[in-house]
Amino acid sequence: MKLPETHHHLHEAQKLASALMDQIPQVQSFKGKWALVKTKIATLPNQLRVLSDSPNFSTTPLAFELVQSVAQTLSETLILVAKCLNPTPADGKLRTQSDIDSVSAKLDQHVKDIELLINSRVLQESSSLGGDSESASSKQDAVRVEARNLITRLQIGNSESRNSAMDSLLGLLYEDDKSVLIAVDQGVVPVLVNLLDSSSVEIKEKAVSAISRVSIVGSGKHLLVVEGALLITHLLRILDSRNGFAREKACIALQALSFSEENARLIGCRGGIVSLLEICQSGTPYSQAYAAGTLRNLSGFSEISKYFIEENAIPVLVGVAASGTFIAQGNAIECLSNLVSKDESLKFIIAQEGGIQCLKIFWDAAPMVQSLEVAIELFTKLASCRSIGEALLCEGFLPKFRGLLNCGVANVRIAAAGAVYELGFSSKTRKEIGDAGIIPPLISMLDAKAVEEKEIAAKTLSSLMLYAGNRKIFVKEEKAIECTVQLLDHSENDLDKKYLISILYSIVNSTRARKQIVDAGALAHLLKLMEVHVDGAKKLYESLRRNNTWSVFARRK
């Protein structure tokens, strides 16, 4: 589409610039200000000529809007010059000074805008690129051209024009992830960050929405991290505003940014944790979930954890873990788990604030077993404290673990076995664990594929076998001894053999068990382990040999 009026406004602007260059030297009042205005006008003719020589000058709406705006400003300037030719301006000295400053600022913006448009590739590319072609490459080229055009429009013109461009950009970004990556590749991120400083609340709101969209798409997240301090400063200001929509989008972006330790440090030292905790208490369900997610990321860095303690974050996080959306609960629980890793004294505070009850609520509401991994991790850390572990057992968690150890998700089985290990701190609790039917699924885990799963099962069993009743359960389980002995094979290089040896040594005094251990080939495995000085291998070997010899004599006698 041709825009013939573009050339009309171009000629008008050139004529006005020429007239101003002739008349400004005749003005005697405010000579310094007018000299500055003249300098700016002097650059326009050449800029406009370069602009008009561009291939798509006549068909680009942005060029039309810009040239029209330049002509309008030059017309205003010419009227102002005529007023200033009068030694005593009719509008008064102060008003006239203000008017000169205003046109000077507009001209300065026009010079920058024209330069930006010339340097962009908007005028070198057809806006109709791609046509009716259905090929993926043609569509991507069309999106690339549109993205460049919108990025340029966001930097040129008045607030209304930029607001319109923001609407179009948001439409492009929400089409699909590929469009986001194309826009990011064309340089949209720095432009959006600058717009967060806009005086227009509407533009600022749309800019943070666009940034949040970029933050959840692949490599776009990494380019946001590059913007670092400036972007975080703007986002933290938005958190402290009363704009609920913008706060929610800012939380989304901050969650993506807070994976970086440097950014986490900036968020922590600039009061971000206070704002995020406030949103956890009074924000929308979505903003609460993302605020808790950001806090979860921050809590993973040791030097940031002190800010959580200073701001008394535990009660707030426990509150979210008990009553937020399921995603918010999971984020809060993981945050608490991270904090406990940095400061063990927080275990008692979490328990006192209702942390055990919030774990039960989350556990019972979990839509899928995978969701429980974060809860099991916090449970394990709390259970490592004996008094809290006893309180956890009183809440009836043990039957839940039997199901987890039998589930089809390896990471959950591993986490659950680790939690059971922490609970086995006394004969009483080991008996309770055995009575709850935990031993058989642990034995099954010895036959798992992952070394980590085999090892945590062996470690947990070695602890539980300290109770005699559990040893009886173990021996009665089919293939329990055979499977344990097979894992002594030296070819299982990555597996720590000390727990397996401990299990077998705990049952070596049983004639039936000892025979099964020997028949399964334990002596040969132990000889090889003795050669590489594995702890306990020699002791178990000698015990098996000694008891085996005595049993032979007993049979002969």
Side-chain angles (χ1 to χ4, degrees), residues 40 58 131 163 230 239 241 311 341 360 409 417 479:
K40 294 172 183 177
S58 299
N163 194 33
L230 180 60
L239 287 192
S241 72
E311 302 303 335
S341 298
K360 282 191 73 175
V409 183
K479 294 189 176 180

Side-chain angles (χ1 to χ4, degrees), residues 324-338:
T325 64
F326 189 76
I327 293 174
Q329 287 178 309
N331 287 337
I333 286 171
E334 194 169 354
C335 182
L336 289 168
S337 185
N338 288 340

Side-chain angles (χ1 to χ4, degrees), residues 70 126 131 142 173-174 195 206 261 315 358 401 420 439 441 504 518 522:
V70 170
S126 170
L173 294 177
Y174 279 94
L195 289 174
K206 290 173 182 176
E261 184 172 2
C358 83
F401 279 97
V420 172
I439 304 293
L504 296 172
V518 173

Side-chain angles (χ1 to χ4, degrees), residues 341-408:
S341 298
K342 312 295 185 300
D343 187 345
E344 290 206 357
S345 66
L346 295 178
K347 293 176 185 177
F348 293 100
I349 299 175
I350 291 171
Q352 289 165 2
E353 292 292 339
I356 295 174
Q357 287 303 315
C358 83
L359 272 178
K360 282 191 73 175
I361 292 169
F362 180 81
W363 212 298
D364 293 338
M368 57 185 72
V369 73
Q370 291 93 326
S371 308
L372 288 175
E373 194 173 346
V374 294
I376 299 168
E377 184 179 356
L378 178 58
F379 181 101
T380 303
K381 290 172 181 176
L382 294 176
S384 65
C385 173
R386 182 164 181 163
S387 59
I388 299 176
E390 289 172 347
L392 288 165
L393 285 171
C394 290
E395 291 295 332
F397 277 95
L398 270 182
K400 302 177 190 294
F401 279 97
R402 186 173 60 248
L404 293 178
L405 292 168
N406 280 312
C407 79

